[in-house]
Amino acid sequence: MTGGRRARRVRAALMAALLSATLLLAAGCTGDGESAAFQRAFADDPSVESMKLTSHDNQPFTGGVSGEVVAREALADEDFAALVGRIGDYTRENGDRMQGRVSLVVDGFEMEVTGDEGHDDEAVGLLLALRADARVISATVGDSSLVLVGSGTAEAVELARDLPALRDEVAPGLPDTATVRAEDGDVDLRGSTAARGDALRLWDALTAEVPLAGLRARNEPVVVVALRDESDLSAARRVAAGVALGPGTSVRFASDVVRLGDSDGEDARLLLSSLDEELRDRIAYVWISGARVQVAVRIEADLAGMADAVDAALPARITDASMVLESDPATSLSVRDG
């Protein structure tokens, strides 16, 4: 055999070895091995409907496994709890290799399985109690937070009211940080039990005097109350002034006419008060956030027809203003830009 032929064979063997090593390394680094191991462990589990697994954090070269396990529809409570136990055992025994965590979903209710028996037992108890509550559409019990979605405004408010007692009864070791929302978005309460308590005290006091449409408190010392009618603003302010709230907590009022982003709504109300009654009646609502305003009108001809009057009535601090058609917000006209 010539030297050239031997050299070619040696190079070919080296290339094959290098390719094999590279493929093995890639398979190990992408986490496919751990995902496959978890898949094998639960592929025949009678309580599992499907699995959607990925390498930890869905990032290449990190290894591990995380993802979602979907339980069979209408799985009995005891079978769901037993499935959590099996996944918890696996997580605990293989935690170093898994790196990530698996979430377990049943009928739209989800919990993160941590492998900590005490934590997981409490999380299961809370999830099953919420699953049995007709007011709850969905819930997510995480490691450090809880999200509930209620079927309506009144239901979400009542869930927020009942949640602290339920947590104390079945899951006292879980953090009290939670988000309680209504399916239509009219209620959105986030944060600690104390923060949600401020919003609920306002709701109770105000609903005794004026009709309300919504309630919002999002991890800041501001509670936004939505009135059904702007004409109730004075009465609502009077009632709210007598409600004891936490230090630094302030109240803002939205309504059918004034919609709030990051604003107390005063500039929107100043704009409306500066227009004559006939023009005000042609406005569907004013949305305001910071120095940005959007005025919605009901008739397309009013976009151009009212632009000058709206511009003249805008407070000087408003730097960005537009008018939109209520039925089609994509139909708009810039009134003030910068």
Side-chain angles (χ1 to χ4, degrees), residues 220-269:
E220 57 181 342
V222 176
V223 179
V224 178
V225 180
L227 307 173
R228 290 198 180 277
D229 197 301
E230 177 73 10
S231 64
D232 290 322
L233 178 62
S234 295
R237 283 175 167 166
R238 172 181 51 78
V239 173
V243 178
L245 301 176
T249 300
S250 62
V251 185
R252 297 175 179 177
F253 290 100
S255 72
D256 57 328
V257 179
V258 177
R259 301 183 182 182
L260 304 182
D262 182 15
S263 173
D264 60 10
E266 294 310 300
D267 283 334
R269 293 184 168 100

Side-chain angles (χ1 to χ4, degrees), residues 7 30 36 54 61 64 78 96 114 155 162 171 230 236 247 258 261 282 311 327:
T30 58
T54 180
F61 310 113
E78 59 270 24
D96 290 343
T114 67
E155 289 80 2
D162 295 344
E230 177 73 10
V258 177
R282 287 153 65 181
D311 189 21
S327 60

